[in-house]
Amino acid sequence: PVLEANLDLTRRHWSHDESNMLIAQSNLAVCYGVLGRHDRALVMHRAIFARTVKLRGKNSDHALIDGLNLAETLRNLGRFAEAATLARKQLSLARSRQSNGAMVVEFEHESAQETILLLTRTLADSLCQNPEASRGDVREAVSLLQHSLEQARQTFGARHPRTVQTEEKLEAARHLELPNS
């Protein structure tokens, strides 16, 4: 209710400020996802992502993060192929921006490396959790997570929560890779 009220206030008083509108909508959509209301979150994340791409371009930091949120929501709804496709596309954009030195995420809590790590994990999760996953999909997920784990250790350190979460996801993916699993 608080975030819904915030969105209503933002619409009422700052509707001319598109950036604040998108932030308020995104906060509410993320909250819906946390509460398990993924269908509602999906509708909002699709609209937010489309609007962000239109306003700021597909290569903007905001579009990368909004695409990540959308891919996560798709994965949470079991739409693994669609989530993997979007995560792969966003990951490619993020990596190319990082290699060009253009990616400086504007959010204090997000670094460019963290965005790439989260996109990689979303892609790996989408590949592994898909009931129709091939052995090649699982191998790709393991490879992605191995690389991400190395990057997380270098960037955040061995005990950082993002590093620990990546280790756990890698272990789970490796278990799927075993012949009799």
Side-chain angles (χ1 to χ4, degrees):
V2 172
L3 290 176
E4 289 170 340
N6 179 51
L7 180 57
D8 287 340
L9 282 171
T10 303
R11 281 187 182 125
R12 206 172 311 134
H13 298 288
W14 295 284
S15 61
H16 61 282
D17 186 345
E18 190 78 32
S19 181
N20 276 336
M21 288 294 299
L22 288 170
I23 290 168
Q25 290 170 340
S26 184
N27 287 340
L28 182 57
V30 168
C31 184
Y32 283 145
V34 169
L35 294 172
R37 296 170 68 184
H38 300 297
D39 288 329
R40 191 149 185 199
L42 178 62
V43 171
M44 291 186 76
H45 280 306
R46 280 195 194 279
I48 293 162
F49 181 60
R51 187 70 183 145
T52 300
V53 168
K54 184 176 180 180
L55 287 174
R56 297 184 174 167
K58 68 180 181 179
N59 292 323
S60 72
D61 297 336
H62 290 273
L64 292 172
I65 292 168
D66 290 340
L68 167 63
N69 289 337
L70 176 55
E72 264 298 301
T73 301
L74 289 164
R75 186 189 60 78
N76 286 331
L77 284 166
R79 296 167 77 165
F80 302 112
E82 194 176 351
T85 299
L86 179 58
R88 193 181 307 279
K89 179 180 168 187
Q90 295 301 103
L91 183 58
S92 176
L93 290 170
R95 285 180 175 157
S96 69
R97 289 203 54 215
Q98 185 185 42
S99 67
N100 294 334
M103 189 169 179
V104 180
V105 177
E106 297 173 17
F107 305 110
E108 290 178 24
H109 64 281
E110 296 275 357
S111 69
Q113 193 59 43
E114 188 172 20
T115 301
I116 289 171
L117 174 67
L118 293 172
L119 282 164
T120 303
R121 285 190 357 204
T122 297
L123 174 56
D125 285 346
S126 298
L127 292 170
C128 284
Q129 293 173 2
N130 188 342
E132 298 173 10
S134 68
R135 291 188 100 33
D137 291 336
V138 174
R139 278 193 299 273
E140 179 185 1
V142 167
S143 176
L144 287 165
L145 290 167
Q146 285 172 331
H147 179 73
S148 288
L149 181 56
E150 291 170 20
Q151 293 297 312
R153 285 179 177 151
Q154 290 174 5
T155 304
F156 306 116
R159 291 189 158 164
H160 189 277
R162 296 283 190 216
T163 305
V164 173
Q165 291 165 350
T166 304
E167 286 174 336
E168 292 168 355
K169 288 184 180 291
L170 176 58
E171 185 64 31
R174 283 182 174 150
H175 180 72
L176 291 174
E177 201 176 32
L178 295 174
N180 293 323
S181 58

